Amino acid sequence: MPTDKSLQVNSLDFDQIKLSIKNFLSDQAVFKDYDFEGSGLSVLLDVLSYTTYYQGIYNHLSSNELFLDTAIKRSSVVSHAKSLGYTPRSRTAATAVVDITTTDPVSLLRRGSIFKARQNDVLYQFVNVTDYDINNGSATDVEIKEGVYKTKSFVVPNNKNNQSFVLDDENIDTTTIKVSVQRSISDSTGSIDVWSNASTVVDVKSDTKAYFVEETFDGFPSILFGDDNIGQKLSAGNLVTVTYITTKGAEANGIGSNDTTSNRSFTFTPNTTVSVTSQAAGGEFRETTDSIRFNAPKS
């Protein structure tokens, strides 16, 4: 009786896998002189070969995702970067600097005031991120960012051990995030306290009012809080309010470059003139997977 040979499993090519299985069966006594090509067993060989082929490809791709250098999926790259203490850059709002003159009876340009501009037949909205005093009907060097202000609130549940809250918008400029925490929905104590974005834990103590920003598996920004060891821990019932700008990124770069006295790029109120000091610039889309892969180990 001939000695059975081992099945060769060192190929990821479909035809080679099928040939290997066929040769293995041909060497078995029960299949000696069997016509594999002219029988129904040929279909079974195809099924076995495809199954082996697909499993090999899956295992190959899965093993690649285990390493930063070979990972393909953004979620895998971001996860590896997180272990290195690296946070991928979010979208960045284009920023312009303008002067305003107005006949409106106002003395303060409040944060979040809306300026409008058009470029390539697309309407863009800009907002100021801080208050500006208006003296004698004018304010100079007003910094405005392209985007829309949004607010999202969360109530801390009783069973929230991992104190993280997802902002389900991948177009957020995370540098514009502002966080406030009040004692409860009915008690506004703490609502005006300043919570800081901690990019490192070097200066974060157990009572530091700090939050951390990470990117989730789905690509959304997530706000995380401390555990009373690194950063102050939230209490059940606390109301977390997050404001941020969601932006179109690099699309708004260049707005204001053609600003003239007869054709102003930005509009505000009918009684206000907006003149451009610096055109919109600095807008970026979120960091690419290749960029994260390159920068994370060097951070």
Side-chain angles (χ1 to χ4, degrees), residues 181-185 187-191 235-239:
V181 180
Q182 64 185 61
R183 185 170 295 174
S184 67
I185 295 178
D187 185 348
S188 62
T189 302
S191 61
S235 299
N238 283 168
L239 177 65

Side-chain angles (χ1 to χ4, degrees), residues 8-296:
Q8 299 299 312
V9 292
N10 58 354
S11 175
L12 285 179
D13 179 74
F14 171 80
D15 291 329
Q16 290 298 319
I17 293 172
K18 183 175 181 179
L19 180 61
S20 178
I21 296 175
K22 185 188 301 184
N23 290 339
F24 172 75
L25 293 177
S26 298
D27 289 331
Q28 311 303 312
V30 68
F31 290 111
K32 186 177 181 181
D33 299 326
Y34 198 89
D35 181 8
F36 289 95
E37 295 299 332
S39 67
L41 192 58
S42 177
V43 177
L44 297 180
L45 285 178
D46 285 342
V47 173
L48 289 172
S49 301
Y50 275 121
T51 301
T52 305
Y53 177 74
Y54 290 148
Q55 188 63 46
I57 294 298
Y58 173 78
N59 291 338
H60 178 68
L61 294 176
S62 296
S63 63
N64 281 345
E65 298 303 317
L66 297 176
F67 304 95
L68 179 61
D69 286 343
T70 55
I72 301 299
K73 295 190 296 183
R74 181 182 179 89
S75 57
S76 299
V77 174
V78 169
S79 179
H80 290 304
K82 187 185 302 183
S83 68
L84 298 174
Y86 183 79
T87 301
R89 295 189 304 274
S90 69
R91 281 199 178 198
T92 304
T95 303
V97 179
V98 299
D99 295 336
I100 67 171
T101 57
T102 183
T103 58
D104 291 332
V106 292
S107 59
L108 183 68
L109 180 68
R110 296 191 179 277
R111 184 184 75 136
S113 298
I114 298 174
F115 297 75
K116 294 182 179 179
R118 187 175 294 275
Q119 180 171 260
N120 298 327
D121 294 327
V122 178
L123 184 64
Y124 294 89
Q125 178 175 306
F126 284 70
V127 293
N128 54 306
V129 296
T130 59
D131 295 337
Y132 286 89
D133 291 326
I134 298 178
N135 297 312
N136 298 320
S138 66
T140 59
D141 295 332
V142 176
E143 188 176 273
I144 56 177
K145 293 181 178 291
E146 183 276 319
V148 179
Y149 253 122
K150 292 187 177 181
T151 300
K152 193 164 187 177
S153 298
F154 308 89
V155 176
V156 180
N158 293 324
N159 59 348
K160 190 71 173 181
N161 294 321
N162 181 17
Q163 297 187 336
S164 63
F165 305 90
V166 177
L167 307 175
D168 50 355
D169 186 343
E170 63 181 25
N171 298 323
I172 293 174
D173 180 347
T174 58
T175 66
T176 66
I177 289 176
K178 303 293 183 184
V179 174
S180 66
V181 180
Q182 64 185 61
R183 185 170 295 174
S184 67
I185 295 178
S186 58
D187 185 348
S188 62
T189 302
S191 61
I192 61 173
D193 291 349
V194 177
W195 286 67
S196 58
N197 180 10
S199 56
T200 69
V201 298
V202 175
D203 297 319
V204 179
K205 300 179 176 59
S206 60
D207 59 348
T208 301
K209 293 181 177 181
Y211 65 91
F212 305 86
V213 179
E214 293 183 354
E215 184 176 315
T216 68
F217 181 85
D218 296 319
F220 300 135
S222 175
I223 306 296
L224 295 88
F225 293 88
D227 59 355
D228 281 343
N229 291 305
I230 300 177
Q232 187 177 128
K233 184 178 181 179
L234 302 183
S235 299
N238 283 168
L239 177 65
V240 179
T241 302
V242 185
T243 62
Y244 54 86
I245 290 177
T246 181
T247 177
K248 296 179 181 178
E251 289 183 23
N253 288 339
I255 292 179
S257 59
N258 298 321
D259 185 70
T260 64
T261 55
S262 60
N263 184 25
R264 292 301 183 186
S265 298
F266 292 95
T267 59
F268 186 47
T269 66
N271 299 322
T272 302
T273 299
V274 182
S275 57
V276 176
T277 300
S278 298
Q279 69 183 54
E284 295 182 2
F285 298 117
R286 70 174 183 171
E287 188 171 9
T288 65
T289 301
D290 286 340
S291 178
I292 298 170
R293 186 184 294 109
F294 177 81
N295 287 315

